[in-house]
Amino acid sequence: MYEVEVKVRADHEAVEPALEAAGAEFVDSVVQADTYYDAPHRDFAETDEALRIRREHSPASDGPGDEGSPETTKITYKGPLLEAESKSREEHETTVADAEAVVGIFDGLGFEPAATVRKERAHYRLDGYTVTLDSVDGLGEFVEVETETADDDIETAREGARAVLDDLGLDPDEQIRTSYLGLLLADDASE
């Protein structure tokens, strides 16, 4: 499967009423910490690949005693971008039972942590797409529209994602193809 994603910077206060007006269905909100790894055998920055460990939980509500959901951990591999028009790429992901064991495995194989991206996300469903409002530590607010598809449907999926952004009053031509990790590393390099 391939992940097709279009991402833009956007003020969430302006997007939330547009989601409601469009009939989007709220799915959930989560807090994520994504630790990205460098490989000992090739440079992922050069090959445009990514390997990460994602730790995720739902935030606590305002109710007494609610500490949110237990943490889940996933390993994700993302292949190189497939086209210039979106952030479409091959993706493989699985949930793991023991985050510290995975860290130990990566360490034992020579993989080193490159950076951690922390974000709060609110997920919505709209017209067959997932619309995500992201607040990324150190970067600000973004909106992602994404779906998964077979490789022969990437163009159709991309155009549908662009249409969803347009319906929300956002300009798909302002898309950002750089990952949050890439944005953070570029920001760190400019300081």
Side-chain angles (χ1 to χ4, degrees):
M1 291 301 287
Y2 295 89
E3 176 188 63
V4 177
E5 172 187 300
V6 181
K7 172 175 67 187
V8 297
R9 284 190 183 273
D11 178 3
H12 293 174
E13 285 187 23
V15 175
E16 288 166 342
L19 282 166
E20 186 175 333
E25 174 191 350
F26 175 77
V27 177
D28 65 6
S29 60
V30 295
V31 176
Q32 295 175 337
D34 295 340
T35 301
Y36 289 85
Y37 285 82
D38 289 329
H41 60 293
R42 66 178 177 256
D43 184 345
F44 284 161
E46 285 184 17
T47 62
D48 194 27
E49 297 170 281
L51 178 67
R52 74 171 181 227
I53 296 175
R54 169 172 284 170
R55 296 173 189 228
E56 175 180 286
H57 68 277
S58 65
S61 70
D62 294 334
D66 183 6
E67 298 177 10
S69 68
E71 183 175 271
T72 60
T73 302
K74 296 178 182 177
I75 299 173
T76 308
Y77 165 78
K78 293 186 177 213
L81 291 174
L82 299 172
E83 61 174 14
E85 293 81 15
S86 70
K87 283 191 64 197
S88 301
R89 59 175 72 219
E90 185 177 7
E91 180 176 311
H92 301 280
E93 182 173 74
T94 189
T95 302
V96 296
D98 186 338
E100 295 313 313
V102 173
V103 170
I105 291 168
F106 281 12
D107 183 53
L109 293 172
F111 288 82
E112 295 185 12
T116 299
V117 177
R118 290 180 176 78
K119 59 189 171 292
E120 294 180 17
R121 310 187 100 178
H123 297 108
Y124 295 83
R125 293 291 301 158
L126 179 61
D127 298 336
Y129 288 83
T130 300
V131 178
T132 305
L133 305 186
D134 283 337
S135 295
V136 184
D137 289 3
L139 293 176
E141 294 182 337
F142 298 83
V143 173
E144 292 182 354
V145 177
E146 69 180 68
T147 191
E148 289 186 353
T149 189
D151 62 348
D152 58 342
D153 289 336
I154 290 174
E155 184 177 346
T156 301
R158 174 182 21 91
E159 291 310 311
R162 291 175 60 84
V164 169
L165 279 175
D166 192 51
D167 290 347
L168 295 175
L170 300 169
D171 185 352
D173 291 333
E174 293 180 359
Q175 80 165 306
I176 299 167
R177 292 184 66 238
T178 305
S179 67
Y180 294 134
L181 173 63
L183 293 171
L184 279 173
L185 294 176
D187 195 41
D188 287 346
S190 68
E191 290 179 355

